[in-house]
Amino acid sequence: MDISIFGLGYVGAVSLACLARDGHRVVGVDVDQTKLDLIGAGKTPVVEEGMVQLMKDVVAGGRVSVTRDTRDAIMRSELSLICVGTPSAPNGSQDQSAMLRLASDIGIVLRDLSRPHVIVFRSTLVPGTVEEVLRPIIERESGKKDGEGFHLCFQPEFLREGSSIRDYDKPPFTIVGANTPQPTERLRELFGHLPCEFYSTSVRAAEMVKYCCNNFHALKITFANETARLCEAMRVDPFEVMDLVCQDRQLNISPAYLKPGFAFGGSCLPKDLRASLYFAKTHDVELPMLGHILQSNRAHVDHAIAKVMASGKRRIGVIGLSFKTGTDDLRESPMVLLTEHFIGKGLSVRVYDPEVHLSRLLGANRRFIEQHVPHIGSMIHGDLNSIVAESDLLIVGLNDATTMEQLASSVRDDQIVIDLVRLPESVRLRGQYQGLCW
Ligand SMILES: NC(=O)c1ccc[n+]([C@@H]2O[C@H](COP(=O)([O-])OP(=O)(O)OC[C@H]3O[C@@H](n4cnc5c(N)ncnc54)[C@H](O)[C@@H]3O)[C@@H](O)[C@H]2O)c1
C-alpha cells in the first residue's frame, strides 16, 4: 500500500520503519527538517531499540521517502497515518494546535484529489475531537463529505517507548474507530496479520479507550508505589507482596471489579481501606490515591441521589438494600445510604430485597436493622409487585434472575427506572429507563 505518515516522532518514525519493512511504500512528513534529513540518510530520529538497523535497511530498500510537503505526500498515497504530537497545554488541556493546522492543510489538498483518501488519526485525542473538531475542518477545507470524498477513522497507538518495535509487532490489541466500513477494511490489510485481536468500534469509543488505558496504567503504577510505601512502614517486602497479589488471576489481575456499576460497600472493603489509611497516617506515610477512594465512592452515591432528586418523583421504590446481589449483609451498603437520604428528604420510600426480607423472617439480619437502621426496617416489603405498583420511580441495585423476571413484567411505561447495576435488556426496555452513567 502507498502510505503517508505525518509526524515522525516516536510513533510516526517507528510506524514508518515497520510498515516499510512489511513491504509498503511509505512517505514520511514532518515540519522538522532535521528529522527528515536523518531519515533521508537512513538514520533514526528517535532512540529506540532496533531502530538504527531497521531504518538503515528500509531506507536502503528504497521504499521510504520524506518530504515537508503535505500535498506531495497525500497525492502519492492512498492512506495517511497522523502521528503529530498532542502535548499538554499549561492549563492541562490538550494542545491540538499542530493537529488543527494539519487538518486544515490536508483538507485543502483533498479538494483537488479525485479519489477518496483514508485518514487515520493515531495521535492521542480527547474523545469527540475527530468528529466535532477535525472532521468539520477537513470538510470545510475540502468541500467534501466524510464517508464520500474521504474516510476518517481513529486507531489508538499502544506502543511504548523503549520497546516500540516489539510493541508494534505484538500490540495488546488493534482497535479501529470508524463510522463506515472502508477505513476499517484498509487498516485490516495493514494490521490484520498482527498476533492480536482486531476490534472495530465507534470513533469516540476508540478515542476514549486510549485515555482509559493510559489512566489505568498510571493507576496501576501508583497503586504499586503507594502499596510499597505502606509495606515499608509495615516492614514487609513490597516485591513479595505485589508478586503474590499478581498471582491471583481470579480477582486481582482479571476483569473482576472492572465493570461500571454502583458504589462498593459491605463489611470488608471500606473498613480495611480505612484501617490501612489510619496505619499510614500514624506512620507519616502519604497515600493520596488510596486516601481519596472513599471520597470517590461517595461521589458515586451522590450521583445516584442527584438523578433521583432531579426526577421530581416522590414515591420511590428501592430494589435491593444489601451491598450486592445475593447477600443479606447491610453493613456499609450504599443502598442503605441512598434510602436514608430519600427518607431524610421526606420522600415516600418502599424497599424490596429478597435476601434481606428472608433474613428478617429468619432473624439473621434483624438485629442490624433494629440497631442501625430501624427507620428503614418498616419500609421493607416482601411483595415486589405492590412496590412497583405504588412507586413513580424505581432505583434498582440488584439483578437476581427472579427479581428481573418480575420487574420485566410489572414496570409501567410512566415509571422511571434508574439502573445501578446494568440490568438485563428485558428490564432496560421497560419504563423510562436511565442508566446511572450509561
Ligand atoms: N510516544 C509514545 O510512546 C506514544 C504512544 C502512544 C501514543 N502516542 C501519541 O502519539 C502522538 C505522537 O507522539 P510522539 O511521542 O510520537 O510525538 P513526538 O513529539 O515525538 O513527535 C511528533 C512529531 O510531529 C511533528 N509535527 C508537528 N506538526 C506537524 C505537521 N503539521 N506536519 C507534520 N509533522 C508535524 C513534530 O515535528 C514531531 O516530529 C501523541 O498524540 C502521543 O500522545 C505516543
Side-chain angles (χ1 to χ4, degrees):
M1 201 182 294
D2 286 296
I3 300 163
S4 48
I5 299 187
F6 290 81
L8 300 171
Y10 287 89
V11 171
V14 170
S15 301
L16 171 137
C18 291
L19 285 164
R21 176 204 63 191
D22 294 347
H24 303 286
R25 279 176 303 280
V26 191
V27 48
V29 191
D30 206 292
V31 290
D32 182 342
Q33 189 60 43
T34 315
K35 288 189 178 174
L36 298 180
D37 292 343
L38 281 167
I39 295 176
K43 298 192 172 129
T44 175
V46 294
V47 177
E48 275 296 311
E49 187 188 294
M51 271 294 276
V52 170
Q53 190 60 44
L54 185 58
M55 197 59 99
K56 194 171 162 198
D57 293 346
V58 293
V59 173
R63 284 191 297 275
V64 172
S65 60
V66 287
T67 179
R68 283 181 76 114
D69 185 349
T70 301
R71 176 171 295 271
D72 175 37
I74 298 271
M75 291 294 176
R76 284 205 274 139
S77 59
E78 54 202 287
L79 179 146
S80 300
L81 300 179
I82 313 296
C83 310
V84 301
T86 50
S88 266
N91 66 0
S93 65
Q94 184 174 57
D95 177 354
Q96 299 181 333
S97 49
M99 188 59 85
L100 300 184
R101 268 196 307 278
L102 182 58
S104 167
D105 291 349
I106 290 176
I108 291 167
V109 178
L110 292 181
R111 182 174 282 276
D112 304 327
L113 198 68
S114 51
R115 54 188 158 75
H117 190 81
V118 176
I119 301 162
V120 187
F121 292 102
R122 303 226 57 190
S123 301
T124 301
L125 290 169
V126 175
T129 302
V130 170
E131 291 178 334
E132 286 162 26
V133 181
L134 301 173
R135 178 162 59 196
I137 294 175
I138 299 175
E139 289 189 335
R140 186 186 66 228
E141 298 299 338
S142 67
K144 294 178 176 174
K145 282 248 157 264
D146 179 23
E148 295 169 14
F150 60 90
H151 299 285
L152 294 186
C153 66
F154 182 82
Q155 184 194 3
E157 173 58 66
F158 294 106
L159 60 74
R160 295 163 298 172
E161 288 175 28
S163 59
S164 53
I165 296 178
R166 271 179 284 137
D167 290 344
Y168 177 96
D169 288 327
K170 196 175 180 307
F173 44 27
T174 299
I175 296 180
V176 177
N179 298 327
T180 55
Q182 290 91 332
T184 311
E185 286 320 307
R186 297 318 313 268
L187 287 171
R188 208 184 282 278
E189 288 170 39
L190 283 186
F191 301 112
H193 66 283
L194 294 172
C196 64
E197 289 294 331
F198 187 107
Y199 296 103
S200 60
T201 182
S202 67
V203 173
R204 246 186 150 82
E207 289 171 319
M208 186 59 194
V209 168
K210 177 63 193 173
Y211 275 98
C212 189
C213 290
N214 275 355
N215 292 346
F216 190 40
H217 300 165
L219 180 83
K220 286 173 80 171
I221 293 168
T222 306
F223 178 79
N225 288 341
E226 286 203 359
T227 299
R229 294 205 294 277
L230 193 56
C231 284
E232 185 183 34
M234 290 175 163
R235 288 183 285 114
V236 192
D237 178 349
F239 289 99
E240 197 178 342
V241 169
M242 284 309 295
D243 282 348
L244 286 169
V245 165
C246 292
Q247 295 306 313
D248 173 358
R249 306 288 158 135
Q250 223 163 296
L251 301 181
N252 294 346
I253 310 301
S254 77
Y257 303 118
L258 284 173
K259 290 255 185 297
F262 197 37
F264 66 79
S267 64
C268 295
L269 302 191
K271 99 174 156 58
D272 294 348
L273 190 50
R274 269 195 297 269
S276 303
L277 294 173
Y278 186 83
F279 182 91
K281 190 166 67 179
T282 52
H283 288 75
D284 296 327
V285 179
E286 293 258 2
L287 302 177
M289 192 186 89
L290 292 172
H292 282 87
I293 290 179
L294 289 170
Q295 193 182 326
S296 173
N297 204 43
R298 177 67 215 201
H300 212 54
V301 176
D302 291 343
H303 186 52
I305 290 173
K307 279 220 162 173
V308 174
M309 300 315 286
S311 74
K313 303 291 183 194
R314 302 203 58 83
R315 296 189 308 158
I316 312 296
V318 177
I319 315 297
L321 190 61
S322 64
F323 81 98
K324 65 177 177 185
T325 306
T327 174
D328 63 353
D329 201 340
L330 296 178
R331 284 174 291 178
E332 303 219 28
S333 166
M335 297 302 289
V336 170
L337 283 182
L338 280 183
T339 308
E340 286 180 321
H341 183 94
F342 301 146
I343 295 168
K345 288 286 176 193
L347 306 183
S348 152
V349 183
R350 286 182 177 72
V351 178
Y352 175 79
D353 189 315
E355 306 296 341
V356 175
H357 186 69
L358 270 182
S359 70
R360 277 188 79 213
L361 292 179
L362 298 170
N365 228 345
R366 170 171 269 151
R367 220 173 337 151
F368 182 89
I369 291 174
E370 284 169 356
Q371 282 179 359
H372 298 279
V373 284
H375 46 304
I376 292 180
S378 62
M379 292 168 187
I380 301 174
H381 298 278
D383 179 8
L384 178 59
N385 286 332
S386 73
I387 292 182
V388 173
E390 289 161 27
S391 302
D392 302 318
L393 180 147
L394 299 168
I395 182 157
V396 189
L398 63 75
N399 58 4
D400 72 283
T402 317
T403 306
M404 290 309 105
E405 244 172 67
Q406 277 180 274
L407 282 180
S409 62
S410 58
V411 173
R412 301 185 310 271
D413 285 348
D414 65 325
Q415 269 172 325
I416 295 179
V417 178
I418 297 188
D419 175 5
L420 304 177
V421 287
R422 190 66 171 167
L423 297 166
E425 180 127 321
S426 56
V427 183
R428 272 189 269 147
L429 295 172
R430 306 285 305 199
Q432 296 163 37
Y433 174 87
Q434 293 179 22
L436 178 59
C437 309
W438 50 87

